[in-house]
């Protein structure tokens, strides 16, 4: 590991410990030349997930975009940010475990709606209204009636 202070190519590991709930390793290192210490993180490399959009275009999966969509749906609702982060992590894990490198955006939307419905029904309806692009009030009412019927 190259030293960020003097660019010397060699360093020694002083301390290693798990980080981010065991998904990475935090290492304290000391440069063998200047003796300054710095921290590195080692994470498992994962293959990028590609999202196939409705128009057929492809883009790399971005958990931040997923989280932002859920935050927008939960605006002014009593849903903790940590809950949304956990949901985003869970959805990403489900997609990684599927072993499909290309995922239709519809699959992601369904996973989000499935989880939002359990957490906050208003946020679920907000997300569904944008995601499913309700054309008129009757489509919106159909979704609300389905939600009421499930109770």
């Amino acid at each position: 590991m190259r030293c960020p202070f003097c660019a010397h190519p060699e360093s020694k590991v002083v301390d290693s410990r798990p980080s981010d709930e065991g998904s990475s390793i935090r290492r304290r290192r000391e440069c063998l030349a200047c003796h300054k210490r710095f921290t590195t993180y080692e994470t498992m490399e994962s293959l990028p997930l590609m999202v196939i959009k409705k128009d057929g275009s492809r883009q790399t999966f971005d958990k931040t975009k997923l989280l932002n969509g859920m935050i927008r749906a939960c605006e002014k609702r009593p849903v903790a940010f940590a809950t949304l982060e956990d949901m985003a992590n869970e959805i990403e894990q489900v997609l990684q475990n599927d072993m499909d490198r290309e995922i239709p955006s519809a699959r992601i939307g369904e996973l989000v709606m499935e989880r939002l419905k359990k957490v906050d029904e208003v946020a679920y309806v907000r997300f569904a209204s944008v995601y499913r692009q309700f054309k008129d009030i009757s489509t919106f009412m159909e979704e609300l009636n389905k939600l009421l019927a499930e109770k």
Side-chain angles (χ1 to χ4, degrees), residues 39-99:
T39 302
T40 60
Y41 291 90
E42 182 179 312
T43 58
M44 184 172 61
E45 183 178 45
S46 62
L47 295 172
L49 295 171
M50 296 302 291
V51 178
I52 304 169
K53 309 290 276 181
K54 288 178 184 173
D55 66 1
S57 65
R58 286 170 167 69
Q59 63 180 200
T60 308
F61 174 78
D62 184 0
K63 187 168 64 173
T64 307
K65 284 178 73 173
L66 175 70
L67 189 57
N68 286 338
M70 291 189 297
I71 289 169
R72 243 177 278 124
C74 293
E75 233 172 73
K76 298 182 182 179
R77 300 296 305 156
V79 180
F81 182 75
T83 303
L84 296 177
E85 270 186 321
D86 290 344
M87 286 170 43
N89 289 335
E90 185 181 321
I91 289 168
E92 183 181 33
Q93 193 62 53
V94 166
L95 297 173
Q96 288 283 353
N97 290 346
D98 282 352
M99 298 302 285

Side-chain angles (χ1 to χ4, degrees), residues 14 30 35 66 115 124 143 151:
V14 178
E30 183 178 316
H35 302 289
L66 175 70
R115 282 154 180 79
Y124 161 75
E143 191 63 35
K151 280 191 163 189

